[in-house]
mmCIF file with all atom_site columns, all heavy atoms in Angstrom:
data_model
loop_
_atom_site.group_PDB
_atom_site.id
_atom_site.type_symbol
_atom_site.label_atom_id
_atom_site.label_alt_id
_atom_site.label_comp_id
_atom_site.label_asym_id
_atom_site.label_entity_id
_atom_site.label_seq_id
_atom_site.pdbx_PDB_ins_code
_atom_site.Cartn_x
_atom_site.Cartn_y
_atom_site.Cartn_z
_atom_site.occupancy
_atom_site.B_iso_or_equiv
_atom_site.pdbx_formal_charge
_atom_site.auth_seq_id
_atom_site.auth_comp_id
_atom_site.auth_asym_id
_atom_site.auth_atom_id
_atom_site.pdbx_PDB_model_num
ATOM 1   N N   . TRP A 1 1  ? 0.840   -1.194  0.009   1.00 86.00 ? 13 TRP A N   1
ATOM 2   C CA  . TRP A 1 1  ? 0.003   0.001   -0.003  1.00 86.00 ? 13 TRP A CA  1
ATOM 3   C C   . TRP A 1 1  ? 0.879   1.254   0.001   1.00 86.00 ? 13 TRP A C   1
ATOM 4   O O   . TRP A 1 1  ? 1.971   1.272   0.565   1.00 86.00 ? 13 TRP A O   1
ATOM 5   C CB  . TRP A 1 1  ? -0.895  0.037   1.238   1.00 86.00 ? 13 TRP A CB  1
ATOM 6   C CG  . TRP A 1 1  ? -1.709  1.271   1.269   1.00 86.00 ? 13 TRP A CG  1
ATOM 7   C CD1 . TRP A 1 1  ? -2.935  1.454   0.683   1.00 86.00 ? 13 TRP A CD1 1
ATOM 8   C CD2 . TRP A 1 1  ? -1.369  2.501   1.866   1.00 86.00 ? 13 TRP A CD2 1
ATOM 9   N NE1 . TRP A 1 1  ? -3.369  2.727   0.895   1.00 86.00 ? 13 TRP A NE1 1
ATOM 10  C CE2 . TRP A 1 1  ? -2.427  3.409   1.620   1.00 86.00 ? 13 TRP A CE2 1
ATOM 11  C CE3 . TRP A 1 1  ? -0.269  2.954   2.588   1.00 86.00 ? 13 TRP A CE3 1
ATOM 12  C CZ2 . TRP A 1 1  ? -2.402  4.720   2.061   1.00 86.00 ? 13 TRP A CZ2 1
ATOM 13  C CZ3 . TRP A 1 1  ? -0.246  4.272   3.019   1.00 86.00 ? 13 TRP A CZ3 1
ATOM 14  C CH2 . TRP A 1 1  ? -1.322  5.130   2.755   1.00 86.00 ? 13 TRP A CH2 1
ATOM 15  N N   . ARG A 1 2  ? 0.403   2.259   -0.648  1.00 85.00 ? 14 ARG A N   1
ATOM 16  C CA  . ARG A 1 2  ? 0.953   3.610   -0.593  1.00 85.00 ? 14 ARG A CA  1
ATOM 17  C C   . ARG A 1 2  ? -0.179  4.535   -1.027  1.00 85.00 ? 14 ARG A C   1
ATOM 18  O O   . ARG A 1 2  ? -1.151  4.064   -1.611  1.00 85.00 ? 14 ARG A O   1
ATOM 19  C CB  . ARG A 1 2  ? 2.184   3.768   -1.477  1.00 85.00 ? 14 ARG A CB  1
ATOM 20  C CG  . ARG A 1 2  ? 1.958   3.538   -2.932  1.00 85.00 ? 14 ARG A CG  1
ATOM 21  C CD  . ARG A 1 2  ? 3.201   3.656   -3.801  1.00 85.00 ? 14 ARG A CD  1
ATOM 22  N NE  . ARG A 1 2  ? 4.394   3.104   -3.301  1.00 85.00 ? 14 ARG A NE  1
ATOM 23  C CZ  . ARG A 1 2  ? 4.795   1.826   -3.448  1.00 85.00 ? 14 ARG A CZ  1
ATOM 24  N NH1 . ARG A 1 2  ? 4.048   1.003   -4.094  1.00 85.00 ? 14 ARG A NH1 1
ATOM 25  N NH2 . ARG A 1 2  ? 5.934   1.417   -2.978  1.00 85.00 ? 14 ARG A NH2 1
ATOM 26  N N   . PRO A 1 3  ? -0.100  5.805   -0.728  1.00 85.00 ? 15 PRO A N   1
ATOM 27  C CA  . PRO A 1 3  ? -1.177  6.710   -1.139  1.00 85.00 ? 15 PRO A CA  1
ATOM 28  C C   . PRO A 1 3  ? -1.423  6.608   -2.642  1.00 85.00 ? 15 PRO A C   1
ATOM 29  O O   . PRO A 1 3  ? -0.498  6.623   -3.454  1.00 85.00 ? 15 PRO A O   1
ATOM 30  C CB  . PRO A 1 3  ? -0.651  8.103   -0.755  1.00 85.00 ? 15 PRO A CB  1
ATOM 31  C CG  . PRO A 1 3  ? 0.261   7.829   0.398   1.00 85.00 ? 15 PRO A CG  1
ATOM 32  C CD  . PRO A 1 3  ? 0.927   6.499   0.069   1.00 85.00 ? 15 PRO A CD  1
ATOM 33  N N   . GLY A 1 4  ? -2.688  6.436   -3.014  1.00 86.00 ? 16 GLY A N   1
ATOM 34  C CA  . GLY A 1 4  ? -3.062  6.301   -4.417  1.00 86.00 ? 16 GLY A CA  1
ATOM 35  C C   . GLY A 1 4  ? -3.424  4.876   -4.819  1.00 86.00 ? 16 GLY A C   1
ATOM 36  O O   . GLY A 1 4  ? -4.016  4.654   -5.877  1.00 86.00 ? 16 GLY A O   1
ATOM 37  N N   . ILE A 1 5  ? -3.056  3.887   -4.003  1.00 88.00 ? 17 ILE A N   1
ATOM 38  C CA  . ILE A 1 5  ? -3.402  2.501   -4.298  1.00 88.00 ? 17 ILE A CA  1
ATOM 39  C C   . ILE A 1 5  ? -4.854  2.270   -3.935  1.00 88.00 ? 17 ILE A C   1
ATOM 40  O O   . ILE A 1 5  ? -5.293  2.572   -2.821  1.00 88.00 ? 17 ILE A O   1
ATOM 41  C CB  . ILE A 1 5  ? -2.483  1.516   -3.522  1.00 88.00 ? 17 ILE A CB  1
ATOM 42  C CG1 . ILE A 1 5  ? -1.043  1.623   -4.005  1.00 88.00 ? 17 ILE A CG1 1
ATOM 43  C CG2 . ILE A 1 5  ? -2.980  0.089   -3.622  1.00 88.00 ? 17 ILE A CG2 1
ATOM 44  C CD1 . ILE A 1 5  ? -0.807  1.171   -5.419  1.00 88.00 ? 17 ILE A CD1 1
ATOM 45  N N   . ASP A 1 6  ? -5.640  1.747   -4.876  1.00 89.00 ? 18 ASP A N   1
ATOM 46  C CA  . ASP A 1 6  ? -7.060  1.490   -4.630  1.00 89.00 ? 18 ASP A CA  1
ATOM 47  C C   . ASP A 1 6  ? -7.291  0.175   -3.895  1.00 89.00 ? 18 ASP A C   1
ATOM 48  O O   . ASP A 1 6  ? -8.270  0.050   -3.135  1.00 89.00 ? 18 ASP A O   1
ATOM 49  C CB  . ASP A 1 6  ? -7.827  1.454   -5.969  1.00 89.00 ? 18 ASP A CB  1
ATOM 50  C CG  . ASP A 1 6  ? -7.781  2.797   -6.647  1.00 89.00 ? 18 ASP A CG  1
ATOM 51  O OD1 . ASP A 1 6  ? -8.318  3.767   -6.078  1.00 89.00 ? 18 ASP A OD1 1
ATOM 52  O OD2 . ASP A 1 6  ? -7.220  2.894   -7.760  1.00 89.00 ? 18 ASP A OD2 1
ATOM 53  N N   . LEU A 1 7  ? -6.431  -0.818  -4.140  1.00 90.00 ? 19 LEU A N   1
ATOM 54  C CA  . LEU A 1 7  ? -6.619  -2.124  -3.519  1.00 90.00 ? 19 LEU A CA  1
ATOM 55  C C   . LEU A 1 7  ? -5.244  -2.754  -3.242  1.00 90.00 ? 19 LEU A C   1
ATOM 56  O O   . LEU A 1 7  ? -4.421  -2.862  -4.142  1.00 90.00 ? 19 LEU A O   1
ATOM 57  C CB  . LEU A 1 7  ? -7.431  -3.062  -4.442  1.00 90.00 ? 19 LEU A CB  1
ATOM 58  C CG  . LEU A 1 7  ? -7.657  -4.469  -3.954  1.00 90.00 ? 19 LEU A CG  1
ATOM 59  C CD1 . LEU A 1 7  ? -8.526  -4.473  -2.680  1.00 90.00 ? 19 LEU A CD1 1
ATOM 60  C CD2 . LEU A 1 7  ? -8.356  -5.292  -5.043  1.00 90.00 ? 19 LEU A CD2 1
ATOM 61  N N   . CYS A 1 8  ? -5.011  -3.120  -1.982  1.00 89.00 ? 20 CYS A N   1
ATOM 62  C CA  . CYS A 1 8  ? -3.790  -3.810  -1.606  1.00 89.00 ? 20 CYS A CA  1
ATOM 63  C C   . CYS A 1 8  ? -4.083  -5.298  -1.646  1.00 89.00 ? 20 CYS A C   1
ATOM 64  O O   . CYS A 1 8  ? -4.869  -5.802  -0.834  1.00 89.00 ? 20 CYS A O   1
ATOM 65  C CB  . CYS A 1 8  ? -3.365  -3.356  -0.212  1.00 89.00 ? 20 CYS A CB  1
ATOM 66  S SG  . CYS A 1 8  ? -1.767  -3.993  0.335   1.00 89.00 ? 20 CYS A SG  1
ATOM 67  N N   . TRP A 1 9  ? -3.503  -6.015  -2.621  1.00 91.00 ? 21 TRP A N   1
ATOM 68  C CA  . TRP A 1 9  ? -3.858  -7.407  -2.874  1.00 91.00 ? 21 TRP A CA  1
ATOM 69  C C   . TRP A 1 9  ? -2.659  -8.210  -3.330  1.00 91.00 ? 21 TRP A C   1
ATOM 70  O O   . TRP A 1 9  ? -1.805  -7.720  -4.067  1.00 91.00 ? 21 TRP A O   1
ATOM 71  C CB  . TRP A 1 9  ? -4.941  -7.462  -3.959  1.00 91.00 ? 21 TRP A CB  1
ATOM 72  C CG  . TRP A 1 9  ? -5.685  -8.749  -3.961  1.00 91.00 ? 21 TRP A CG  1
ATOM 73  C CD1 . TRP A 1 9  ? -5.435  -9.847  -4.721  1.00 91.00 ? 21 TRP A CD1 1
ATOM 74  C CD2 . TRP A 1 9  ? -6.804  -9.064  -3.141  1.00 91.00 ? 21 TRP A CD2 1
ATOM 75  N NE1 . TRP A 1 9  ? -6.351  -10.826 -4.426  1.00 91.00 ? 21 TRP A NE1 1
ATOM 76  C CE2 . TRP A 1 9  ? -7.197  -10.375 -3.463  1.00 91.00 ? 21 TRP A CE2 1
ATOM 77  C CE3 . TRP A 1 9  ? -7.510  -8.381  -2.156  1.00 91.00 ? 21 TRP A CE3 1
ATOM 78  C CZ2 . TRP A 1 9  ? -8.260  -11.017 -2.845  1.00 91.00 ? 21 TRP A CZ2 1
ATOM 79  C CZ3 . TRP A 1 9  ? -8.566  -9.003  -1.533  1.00 91.00 ? 21 TRP A CZ3 1
ATOM 80  C CH2 . TRP A 1 9  ? -8.937  -10.314 -1.887  1.00 91.00 ? 21 TRP A CH2 1
ATOM 81  N N   . ASP A 1 10 ? -2.582  -9.454  -2.888  1.00 91.00 ? 22 ASP A N   1
ATOM 82  C CA  . ASP A 1 10 ? -1.560  -10.400 -3.334  1.00 91.00 ? 22 ASP A CA  1
ATOM 83  C C   . ASP A 1 10 ? -2.128  -11.096 -4.567  1.00 91.00 ? 22 ASP A C   1
ATOM 84  O O   . ASP A 1 10 ? -3.073  -11.871 -4.460  1.00 91.00 ? 22 ASP A O   1
ATOM 85  C CB  . ASP A 1 10 ? -1.277  -11.393 -2.208  1.00 91.00 ? 22 ASP A CB  1
ATOM 86  C CG  . ASP A 1 10 ? -0.227  -12.424 -2.572  1.00 91.00 ? 22 ASP A CG  1
ATOM 87  O OD1 . ASP A 1 10 ? 0.234   -12.440 -3.736  1.00 91.00 ? 22 ASP A OD1 1
ATOM 88  O OD2 . ASP A 1 10 ? 0.135   -13.223 -1.689  1.00 91.00 ? 22 ASP A OD2 1
ATOM 89  N N   . VAL A 1 11 ? -1.548  -10.857 -5.741  1.00 89.00 ? 23 VAL A N   1
ATOM 90  C CA  . VAL A 1 11 ? -2.097  -11.393 -6.978  1.00 89.00 ? 23 VAL A CA  1
ATOM 91  C C   . VAL A 1 11 ? -1.909  -12.901 -7.116  1.00 89.00 ? 23 VAL A C   1
ATOM 92  O O   . VAL A 1 11 ? -2.460  -13.493 -8.040  1.00 89.00 ? 23 VAL A O   1
ATOM 93  C CB  . VAL A 1 11 ? -1.540  -10.670 -8.245  1.00 89.00 ? 23 VAL A CB  1
ATOM 94  C CG1 . VAL A 1 11 ? -1.946  -9.224  -8.254  1.00 89.00 ? 23 VAL A CG1 1
ATOM 95  C CG2 . VAL A 1 11 ? -0.041  -10.858 -8.365  1.00 89.00 ? 23 VAL A CG2 1
ATOM 96  N N   . SER A 1 12 ? -1.183  -13.527 -6.187  1.00 89.00 ? 24 SER A N   1
ATOM 97  C CA  . SER A 1 12 ? -1.106  -14.975 -6.215  1.00 89.00 ? 24 SER A CA  1
ATOM 98  C C   . SER A 1 12 ? -2.341  -15.610 -5.594  1.00 89.00 ? 24 SER A C   1
ATOM 99  O O   . SER A 1 12 ? -2.512  -16.813 -5.659  1.00 89.00 ? 24 SER A O   1
ATOM 100 C CB  . SER A 1 12 ? 0.177   -15.457 -5.514  1.00 89.00 ? 24 SER A CB  1
ATOM 101 O OG  . SER A 1 12 ? 0.099   -15.200 -4.142  1.00 89.00 ? 24 SER A OG  1
ATOM 102 N N   . LYS A 1 13 ? -3.193  -14.798 -5.008  1.00 90.00 ? 25 LYS A N   1
ATOM 103 C CA  . LYS A 1 13 ? -4.468  -15.247 -4.430  1.00 90.00 ? 25 LYS A CA  1
ATOM 104 C C   . LYS A 1 13 ? -5.589  -14.942 -5.429  1.00 90.00 ? 25 LYS A C   1
ATOM 105 O O   . LYS A 1 13 ? -5.435  -14.072 -6.287  1.00 90.00 ? 25 LYS A O   1
ATOM 106 C CB  . LYS A 1 13 ? -4.757  -14.524 -3.111  1.00 90.00 ? 25 LYS A CB  1
ATOM 107 C CG  . LYS A 1 13 ? -3.634  -14.555 -2.118  1.00 90.00 ? 25 LYS A CG  1
ATOM 108 C CD  . LYS A 1 13 ? -3.465  -15.905 -1.519  1.00 90.00 ? 25 LYS A CD  1
ATOM 109 C CE  . LYS A 1 13 ? -2.397  -15.870 -0.424  1.00 90.00 ? 25 LYS A CE  1
ATOM 110 N NZ  . LYS A 1 13 ? -1.585  -17.014 -0.392  1.00 90.00 ? 25 LYS A NZ  1
ATOM 111 N N   . PRO A 1 14 ? -6.736  -15.638 -5.299  1.00 92.00 ? 26 PRO A N   1
ATOM 112 C CA  . PRO A 1 14 ? -7.866  -15.320 -6.193  1.00 92.00 ? 26 PRO A CA  1
ATOM 113 C C   . PRO A 1 14 ? -8.270  -13.843 -6.098  1.00 92.00 ? 26 PRO A C   1
ATOM 114 O O   . PRO A 1 14 ? -8.303  -13.272 -5.003  1.00 92.00 ? 26 PRO A O   1
ATOM 115 C CB  . PRO A 1 14 ? -8.990  -16.225 -5.685  1.00 92.00 ? 26 PRO A CB  1
ATOM 116 C CG  . PRO A 1 14 ? -8.285  -17.366 -5.029  1.00 92.00 ? 26 PRO A CG  1
ATOM 117 C CD  . PRO A 1 14 ? -7.037  -16.784 -4.433  1.00 92.00 ? 26 PRO A CD  1
ATOM 118 N N   . LEU A 1 15 ? -8.517  -13.261 -7.238  1.00 92.00 ? 27 LEU A N   1
ATOM 119 C CA  . LEU A 1 15 ? -8.880  -11.835 -7.296  1.00 92.00 ? 27 LEU A CA  1
ATOM 120 C C   . LEU A 1 15 ? -10.302 -11.631 -6.776  1.00 92.00 ? 27 LEU A C   1
ATOM 121 O O   . LEU A 1 15 ? -11.161 -12.489 -6.968  1.00 92.00 ? 27 LEU A O   1
ATOM 122 C CB  . LEU A 1 15 ? -8.761  -11.308 -8.727  1.00 92.00 ? 27 LEU A CB  1
ATOM 123 C CG  . LEU A 1 15 ? -7.345  -11.379 -9.322  1.00 92.00 ? 27 LEU A CG  1
ATOM 124 C CD1 . LEU A 1 15 ? -7.368  -10.975 -10.784 1.00 92.00 ? 27 LEU A CD1 1
ATOM 125 C CD2 . LEU A 1 15 ? -6.398  -10.500 -8.546  1.00 92.00 ? 27 LEU A CD2 1
ATOM 126 N N   . PRO A 1 16 ? -10.588 -10.470 -6.147  1.00 91.00 ? 28 PRO A N   1
ATOM 127 C CA  . PRO A 1 16 ? -11.894 -10.244 -5.565  1.00 91.00 ? 28 PRO A CA  1
ATOM 128 C C   . PRO A 1 16 ? -12.965 -9.778  -6.567  1.00 91.00 ? 28 PRO A C   1
ATOM 129 O O   . PRO A 1 16 ? -14.076 -9.475  -6.181  1.00 91.00 ? 28 PRO A O   1
ATOM 130 C CB  . PRO A 1 16 ? -11.615 -9.144  -4.526  1.00 91.00 ? 28 PRO A CB  1
ATOM 131 C CG  . PRO A 1 16 ? -10.505 -8.364  -5.130  1.00 91.00 ? 28 PRO A CG  1
ATOM 132 C CD  . PRO A 1 16 ? -9.641  -9.396  -5.842  1.00 91.00 ? 28 PRO A CD  1
ATOM 133 N N   . PHE A 1 17 ? -12.641 -9.731  -7.843  1.00 90.00 ? 29 PHE A N   1
ATOM 134 C CA  . PHE A 1 17 ? -13.574 -9.241  -8.850  1.00 90.00 ? 29 PHE A CA  1
ATOM 135 C C   . PHE A 1 17 ? -14.524 -10.348 -9.294  1.00 90.00 ? 29 PHE A C   1
ATOM 136 O O   . PHE A 1 17 ? -14.154 -11.523 -9.335  1.00 90.00 ? 29 PHE A O   1
ATOM 137 C CB  . PHE A 1 17 ? -12.796 -8.695  -10.051 1.00 90.00 ? 29 PHE A CB  1
ATOM 138 C CG  . PHE A 1 17 ? -11.749 -7.681  -9.669  1.00 90.00 ? 29 PHE A CG  1
ATOM 139 C CD1 . PHE A 1 17 ? -10.407 -7.978  -9.828  1.00 90.00 ? 29 PHE A CD1 1
ATOM 140 C CD2 . PHE A 1 17 ? -12.091 -6.451  -9.176  1.00 90.00 ? 29 PHE A CD2 1
ATOM 141 C CE1 . PHE A 1 17 ? -9.428  -7.064  -9.468  1.00 90.00 ? 29 PHE A CE1 1
ATOM 142 C CE2 . PHE A 1 17 ? -11.130 -5.530  -8.809  1.00 90.00 ? 29 PHE A CE2 1
ATOM 143 C CZ  . PHE A 1 17 ? -9.800  -5.841  -8.968  1.00 90.00 ? 29 PHE A CZ  1
ATOM 144 N N   . ASN A 1 18 ? -15.732 -9.954  -9.678  1.00 89.00 ? 30 ASN A N   1
ATOM 145 C CA  . ASN A 1 18 ? -16.723 -10.917 -10.200 1.00 89.00 ? 30 ASN A CA  1
ATOM 146 C C   . ASN A 1 18 ? -16.298 -11.422 -11.563 1.00 89.00 ? 30 ASN A C   1
ATOM 147 O O   . ASN A 1 18 ? -15.535 -10.751 -12.289 1.00 89.00 ? 30 ASN A O   1
ATOM 148 C CB  . ASN A 1 18 ? -18.090 -10.258 -10.300 1.00 89.00 ? 30 ASN A CB  1
ATOM 149 C CG  . ASN A 1 18 ? -18.632 -9.865  -8.945  1.00 89.00 ? 30 ASN A CG  1
ATOM 150 O OD1 . ASN A 1 18 ? -18.333 -10.492 -7.947  1.00 89.00 ? 30 ASN A OD1 1
ATOM 151 N ND2 . ASN A 1 18 ? -19.410 -8.809  -8.928  1.00 89.00 ? 30 ASN A ND2 1
ATOM 152 N N   . ASP A 1 19 ? -16.824 -12.582 -11.949 1.00 91.00 ? 31 ASP A N   1
ATOM 153 C CA  . ASP A 1 19 ? -16.564 -13.126 -13.283 1.00 91.00 ? 31 ASP A CA  1
ATOM 154 C C   . ASP A 1 19 ? -16.990 -12.140 -14.351 1.00 91.00 ? 31 ASP A C   1
ATOM 155 O O   . ASP A 1 19 ? -18.055 -11.532 -14.259 1.00 91.00 ? 31 ASP A O   1
ATOM 156 C CB  . ASP A 1 19 ? -17.311 -14.436 -13.482 1.00 91.00 ? 31 ASP A CB  1
ATOM 157 C CG  . ASP A 1 19 ? -16.858 -15.545 -12.559 1.00 91.00 ? 31 ASP A CG  1
ATOM 158 O OD1 . ASP A 1 19 ? -15.836 -15.320 -11.845 1.00 91.00 ? 31 ASP A OD1 1
ATOM 159 O OD2 . ASP A 1 19 ? -17.463 -16.628 -12.554 1.00 91.00 ? 31 ASP A OD2 1
ATOM 160 N N   . HIS A 1 20 ? -16.166 -11.965 -15.386 1.00 91.00 ? 32 HIS A N   1
ATOM 161 C CA  . HIS A 1 20 ? -16.462 -11.159 -16.549 1.00 91.00 ? 32 HIS A CA  1
ATOM 162 C C   . HIS A 1 20 ? -16.866 -9.715  -16.208 1.00 91.00 ? 32 HIS A C   1
ATOM 163 O O   . HIS A 1 20 ? -17.692 -9.121  -16.863 1.00 91.00 ? 32 HIS A O   1
ATOM 164 C CB  . HIS A 1 20 ? -17.578 -11.812 -17.390 1.00 91.00 ? 32 HIS A CB  1
ATOM 165 C CG  . HIS A 1 20 ? -17.370 -13.266 -17.606 1.00 91.00 ? 32 HIS A CG  1
ATOM 166 N ND1 . HIS A 1 20 ? -16.317 -13.765 -18.360 1.00 91.00 ? 32 HIS A ND1 1
ATOM 167 C CD2 . HIS A 1 20 ? -18.065 -14.342 -17.158 1.00 91.00 ? 32 HIS A CD2 1
ATOM 168 C CE1 . HIS A 1 20 ? -16.371 -15.078 -18.360 1.00 91.00 ? 32 HIS A CE1 1
ATOM 169 N NE2 . HIS A 1 20 ? -17.413 -15.480 -17.641 1.00 91.00 ? 32 HIS A NE2 1
ATOM 170 N N   . SER A 1 21 ? -16.241 -9.162  -15.178 1.00 89.00 ? 33 SER A N   1
ATOM 171 C CA  . SER A 1 21 ? -16.621 -7.824  -14.712 1.00 89.00 ? 33 SER A CA  1
ATOM 172 C C   . SER A 1 21 ? -15.614 -6.734  -15.031 1.00 89.00 ? 33 SER A C   1
ATOM 173 O O   . SER A 1 21 ? -15.880 -5.553  -14.826 1.00 89.00 ? 33 SER A O   1
ATOM 174 C CB  . SER A 1 21 ? -16.860 -7.842  -13.200 1.00 89.00 ? 33 SER A CB  1
ATOM 175 O OG  . SER A 1 21 ? -15.652 -8.167  -12.520 1.00 89.00 ? 33 SER A OG  1
ATOM 176 N N   . ILE A 1 22 ? -14.461 -7.094  -15.563 1.00 90.00 ? 34 ILE A N   1
ATOM 177 C CA  . ILE A 1 22 ? -13.397 -6.124  -15.824 1.00 90.00 ? 34 ILE A CA  1
ATOM 178 C C   . ILE A 1 22 ? -13.192 -6.002  -17.316 1.00 90.00 ? 34 ILE A C   1
ATOM 179 O O   . ILE A 1 22 ? -13.056 -6.991  -18.017 1.00 90.00 ? 34 ILE A O   1
ATOM 180 C CB  . ILE A 1 22 ? -12.079 -6.587  -15.143 1.00 90.00 ? 34 ILE A CB  1
ATOM 181 C CG1 . ILE A 1 22 ? -12.282 -6.844  -13.659 1.00 90.00 ? 34 ILE A CG1 1
ATOM 182 C CG2 . ILE A 1 22 ? -10.967 -5.599  -15.407 1.00 90.00 ? 34 ILE A CG2 1
ATOM 183 C CD1 . ILE A 1 22 ? -12.766 -5.665  -12.871 1.00 90.00 ? 34 ILE A CD1 1
ATOM 184 N N   . SER A 1 23 ? -13.175 -4.775  -17.800 1.00 89.00 ? 35 SER A N   1
ATOM 185 C CA  . SER A 1 23 ? -13.070 -4.578  -19.235 1.00 89.00 ? 35 SER A CA  1
ATOM 186 C C   . SER A 1 23 ? -11.629 -4.441  -19.739 1.00 89.00 ? 35 SER A C   1
ATOM 187 O O   . SER A 1 23 ? -11.360 -4.694  -20.910 1.00 89.00 ? 35 SER A O   1
ATOM 188 C CB  . SER A 1 23 ? -13.894 -3.369  -19.681 1.00 89.00 ? 35 SER A CB  1
ATOM 189 O OG  . SER A 1 23 ? -13.527 -2.231  -18.927 1.00 89.00 ? 35 SER A OG  1
ATOM 190 N N   . ALA A 1 24 ? -10.694 -4.042  -18.861 1.00 92.00 ? 36 ALA A N   1
ATOM 191 C CA  . ALA A 1 24 ? -9.319  -3.862  -19.332 1.00 92.00 ? 36 ALA A CA  1
ATOM 192 C C   . ALA A 1 24 ? -8.342  -3.999  -18.171 1.00 92.00 ? 36 ALA A C   1
ATOM 193 O O   . ALA A 1 24 ? -8.603  -3.545  -17.054 1.00 92.00 ? 36 ALA A O   1
ATOM 194 C CB  . ALA A 1 24 ? -9.160  -2.496  -19.991 1.00 92.00 ? 36 ALA A CB  1
ATOM 195 N N   . VAL A 1 25 ? -7.188  -4.655  -18.455 1.00 93.00 ? 37 VAL A N   1
ATOM 196 C CA  . VAL A 1 25 ? -6.153  -4.885  -17.462 1.00 93.00 ? 37 VAL A CA  1
ATOM 197 C C   . VAL A 1 25 ? -4.818  -4.436  -18.035 1.00 93.00 ? 37 VAL A C   1
ATOM 198 O O   . VAL A 1 25 ? -4.528  -4.661  -19.210 1.00 93.00 ? 37 VAL A O   1
ATOM 199 C CB  . VAL A 1 25 ? -6.086  -6.387  -17.104 1.00 93.00 ? 37 VAL A CB  1
ATOM 200 C CG1 . VAL A 1 25 ? -4.851  -6.700  -16.271 1.00 93.00 ? 37 VAL A CG1 1
ATOM 201 C CG2 . VAL A 1 25 ? -7.335  -6.836  -16.384 1.00 93.00 ? 37 VAL A CG2 1
ATOM 202 N N   . PHE A 1 26 ? -4.025  -3.805  -17.193 1.00 91.00 ? 38 PHE A N   1
ATOM 203 C CA  . PHE A 1 26 ? -2.691  -3.364  -17.573 1.00 91.00 ? 38 PHE A CA  1
ATOM 204 C C   . PHE A 1 26 ? -1.724  -3.791  -16.470 1.00 91.00 ? 38 PHE A C   1
ATOM 205 O O   . PHE A 1 26 ? -2.032  -3.663  -15.291 1.00 91.00 ? 38 PHE A O   1
ATOM 206 C CB  . PHE A 1 26 ? -2.666  -1.842  -17.719 1.00 91.00 ? 38 PHE A CB  1
ATOM 207 C CG  . PHE A 1 26 ? -1.306  -1.263  -17.985 1.00 91.00 ? 38 PHE A CG  1
ATOM 208 C CD1 . PHE A 1 26 ? -0.731  -1.366  -19.236 1.00 91.00 ? 38 PHE A CD1 1
ATOM 209 C CD2 . PHE A 1 26 ? -0.599  -0.622  -16.980 1.00 91.00 ? 38 PHE A CD2 1
ATOM 210 C CE1 . PHE A 1 26 ? 0.514   -0.832  -19.495 1.00 91.00 ? 38 PHE A CE1 1
ATOM 211 C CE2 . PHE A 1 26 ? 0.644   -0.089  -17.216 1.00 91.00 ? 38 PHE A CE2 1
ATOM 212 C CZ  . PHE A 1 26 ? 1.197   -0.187  -18.484 1.00 91.00 ? 38 PHE A CZ  1
ATOM 213 N N   . SER A 1 27 ? -0.564  -4.317  -16.838 1.00 90.00 ? 39 SER A N   1
ATOM 214 C CA  . SER A 1 27 ? 0.444   -4.674  -15.875 1.00 90.00 ? 39 SER A CA  1
ATOM 215 C C   . SER A 1 27 ? 1.821   -4.505  -16.532 1.00 90.00 ? 39 SER A C   1
ATOM 216 O O   . SER A 1 27 ? 2.094   -5.107  -17.568 1.00 90.00 ? 39 SER A O   1
ATOM 217 C CB  . SER A 1 27 ? 0.256   -6.107  -15.388 1.00 90.00 ? 39 SER A CB  1
ATOM 218 O OG  . SER A 1 27 ? 1.252   -6.435  -14.474 1.00 90.00 ? 39 SER A OG  1
ATOM 219 N N   . GLU A 1 28 ? 2.640   -3.687  -15.924 1.00 88.00 ? 40 GLU A N   1
ATOM 220 C CA  . GLU A 1 28 ? 3.961   -3.447  -16.477 1.00 88.00 ? 40 GLU A CA  1
ATOM 221 C C   . GLU A 1 28 ? 5.030   -3.775  -15.429 1.00 88.00 ? 40 GLU A C   1
ATOM 222 O O   . GLU A 1 28 ? 5.033   -3.222  -14.325 1.00 88.00 ? 40 GLU A O   1
ATOM 223 C CB  . GLU A 1 28 ? 4.086   -1.971  -16.887 1.00 88.00 ? 40 GLU A CB  1
ATOM 224 C CG  . GLU A 1 28 ? 5.386   -1.632  -17.536 1.00 88.00 ? 40 GLU A CG  1
ATOM 225 C CD  . GLU A 1 28 ? 5.430   -0.190  -18.023 1.00 88.00 ? 40 GLU A CD  1
ATOM 226 O OE1 . GLU A 1 28 ? 4.689   0.654   -17.515 1.00 88.00 ? 40 GLU A OE1 1
ATOM 227 O OE2 . GLU A 1 28 ? 6.222   0.086   -18.946 1.00 88.00 ? 40 GLU A OE2 1
ATOM 228 N N   . HIS A 1 29 ? 5.899   -4.715  -15.773 1.00 85.00 ? 41 HIS A N   1
ATOM 229 C CA  . HIS A 1 29 ? 7.014   -5.130  -14.915 1.00 85.00 ? 41 HIS A CA  1
ATOM 230 C C   . HIS A 1 29 ? 6.536   -5.551  -13.532 1.00 85.00 ? 41 HIS A C   1
ATOM 231 O O   . HIS A 1 29 ? 7.080   -5.145  -12.509 1.00 85.00 ? 41 HIS A O   1
ATOM 232 C CB  . HIS A 1 29 ? 8.064   -4.021  -14.823 1.00 85.00 ? 41 HIS A CB  1
ATOM 233 C CG  . HIS A 1 29 ? 8.675   -3.701  -16.145 1.00 85.00 ? 41 HIS A CG  1
ATOM 234 N ND1 . HIS A 1 29 ? 9.547   -4.549  -16.772 1.00 85.00 ? 41 HIS A ND1 1
ATOM 235 C CD2 . HIS A 1 29 ? 8.497   -2.649  -16.972 1.00 85.00 ? 41 HIS A CD2 1
ATOM 236 C CE1 . HIS A 1 29 ? 9.912   -4.019  -17.923 1.00 85.00 ? 41 HIS A CE1 1
ATOM 237 N NE2 . HIS A 1 29 ? 9.265   -2.873  -18.079 1.00 85.00 ? 41 HIS A NE2 1
#
């Protein structure tokens, strides 16, 4: 976490989003 982070999450765990609910994903490095 740091100021500006919307969700502090370990991506090796299941994501908290519903099925087919996200329209776009970006991940860099």
